[in-house]
Amino acid sequence: MTAAGTENQNRPDLRALFLGFSSVGLSGFGGVLPFARRMLVEEKRWMTAEEFNTQLGLCQFLPGPNVINLAVVVGKRYQGVAGAIVAPLGLLAGPFVIVLLLALLYDRYGSLPIAQSMLRGIAAVGCGLLFAMAWRMGTALKDKPVFLPFTVLTVAAIAWLRWPLPIVMIVGLLLSGGVAYWKLGRK
Amino acid sequence: MSLAGELFLEFALLSFVAFGGATALLPEMHRVVVENHHWLDDTTFTHLYAIAQAAPGPNVLVVTLIGWEVAGLLGALAATLAMCLPMSVLIYLLIDRWESFSGKRWQKAVSLGVAPLAVGLVFSGATLIAKSAGLGWAAWLLVAVTVVANLRTKLHPLWFIAVGAVLGLLGIV
């Protein structure tokens, strides 16, 4: 009885899911996954750290925005289909409205020299943040002598040769995944 | 087909290879939106990326902005939905079976194999933004400083955005 009681305490309804994920969506700049973890595991305690890591596994395994995938998983877990719809909606609704307001401003004032020069500065910084993200992801790679060449090949195919992404990803995954499969078998 | 419909199909297709999230798709979205269909020009594309950086929310919202500029509110909805819906449905169906195939050899191989490709995609996205923005030497310096400062300090990214905006306003970059 007591056990069930504590469980229910941490069982969010649709409103709580929507609001919880709204706060996550609005708190992060350039990626909100760390905020999702904090909300789910530390603040609301809807899941334990281990549960979070396991569920995140599939979200990161599949393509697409990881944090949206995570919202679907958490929503489904507590409120089924409705939860799986409401949680990602909560995540996106606030930021969606904000970017559209910014877009309206851009449409209206974006051609002004002052806006142009501001955006040029922000774009340079944004570019730096992307390089930093690539660097961070690159240093986290396992077995770099084996796998870093695939990074180089991807850059060559996408940025230099401008080959279409779907083809590059399919061929790349077959090669790189094939090498990984072979290496896993040798251990 | 309507513009929003076309956008939906193009982006829904891309969502299946979005390893590394929407950020990894920047080069391909650029190809679709700027090079193939000429829906936007280089400068606008770069500006939209800059605006997305300065706004809160998941990285996927750059797609919303692109959709908006191409086809208005309907475009924004279509692009966002296209990027999120296919994988959301798939994950809804797969999550209960995840435990049964997580840790299998092929699953680990895909995870290991896809990681270096995702790094390459994000790096390509960075070079693409640099190229489209037509950065001068001062801007490249700002890029370099941002990279080092972002890797070495725990400063909130908004500080970088603010510095970039100010340097831009002053006409330095």
Side-chain angles (χ1 to χ4, degrees):
Chain A
M1 190 64 200
T2 335
T6 22
E7 215 173 274
N8 281 340
Q9 254 179 8
N10 291 339
R11 190 178 179 85
D13 55 14
L14 287 177
R15 197 181 122 91
L17 280 173
F18 187 87
L19 293 178
F21 276 99
S22 292
S23 75
V24 169
L26 289 169
S27 43
F29 288 79
V32 297
L33 203 53
F35 296 92
R37 187 184 190 282
R38 187 193 292 169
M39 187 274 282
L40 290 168
V41 178
E42 287 159 33
E43 288 171 14
K44 312 264 190 204
R45 306 199 177 194
W46 290 344
M47 40 188 12
T48 65
E50 294 92 289
E51 283 170 326
F52 180 83
N53 290 341
T54 321
Q55 312 266 303
L56 190 64
L58 179 63
C59 300
Q60 291 182 323
F61 177 66
L62 290 180
N66 290 334
V67 70
I68 309 280
N69 292 349
L70 182 70
V72 172
V73 167
V74 175
K76 176 183 185 184
R77 177 178 158 144
Y78 290 112
Q79 296 294 335
V81 186
I85 295 169
V86 160
L89 273 185
L91 192 61
L92 288 173
F96 187 89
V97 172
I98 291 175
V99 290
L100 288 196
L101 288 175
L102 291 173
L104 283 174
L105 284 175
Y106 176 70
D107 290 343
R108 185 123 196 218
Y109 303 107
S111 52
L112 296 180
I114 187 170
Q116 295 265 330
S117 37
M118 205 166 81
L119 286 168
R120 199 164 50 237
I122 298 177
V125 165
C127 174
L129 293 175
L130 271 184
F131 275 120
M133 188 205 264
W135 178 269
R136 223 176 268 125
M137 288 166 71
T139 48
L141 283 183
K142 287 174 193 145
D143 219 345
K144 288 188 195 60
V146 175
F147 290 108
L148 218 45
F150 290 105
T151 301
V152 177
L153 287 178
T154 308
V155 173
I158 297 288
W160 183 45
L161 298 169
R162 306 290 287 132
W163 287 353
L165 179 72
I167 302 292
V168 173
M169 284 308 282
I170 290 166
V171 174
L173 190 54
L174 283 173
L175 293 174
S176 170
V179 169
Y181 191 81
W182 174 71
K183 282 194 69 86
L184 284 167
R186 285 178 7 129
K187 271 176 204 161
Chain B
M1 197 192 313
S2 76
L3 213 50
E6 239 179 292
L7 204 59
F8 183 88
L9 287 182
E10 293 272 17
F11 282 15
L13 178 72
L14 289 188
S15 78
F16 285 92
V17 284
F19 291 98
T23 315
L25 288 184
L26 280 172
E28 193 65 15
M29 291 194 292
H30 182 272
R31 177 214 298 283
V32 170
V33 169
V34 179
E35 291 162 41
N36 290 1
H37 291 287
H38 305 287
W39 285 328
L40 302 175
D41 61 27
D42 247 352
T43 319
T44 313
F45 189 87
T46 317
H47 285 168
L48 295 182
Y49 173 69
I51 294 170
Q53 281 288 308
N59 293 328
V60 63
L61 284 147
V62 66
V63 175
T64 310
L65 280 168
I66 294 173
W68 169 268
E69 288 300 319
V70 172
L73 184 59
L74 208 58
L77 288 169
T80 315
L81 209 60
M83 197 53 70
C84 301
L85 193 62
M87 279 313 131
S88 295
V89 171
L90 203 59
I91 205 156
Y92 185 90
L93 299 173
L94 281 181
I95 188 68
D96 294 332
R97 257 163 274 166
W98 170 239
E99 306 252 0
S100 67
F101 64 85
S102 99
K104 289 252 163 69
R105 185 173 165 196
W106 68 266
Q107 184 272 318
K108 283 206 238 160
V110 172
S111 293
L112 276 173
V114 92
L117 307 182
V119 180
L121 292 184
V122 173
F123 188 90
S124 304
T127 61
L128 174 101
I129 294 294
K131 216 166 73 186
S132 310
L135 303 179
W137 67 269
W140 271 113
L141 196 64
L142 177 59
V143 170
V145 171
T146 306
V147 173
V148 175
N150 186 244
L151 290 174
R152 290 284 174 82
T153 68
K154 292 203 165 196
L155 280 175
H156 195 282
L158 264 193
W159 287 109
F160 298 100
I161 305 279
V163 169
V166 170
L167 289 178
L169 278 178
L170 294 173
I172 295 173
V173 294

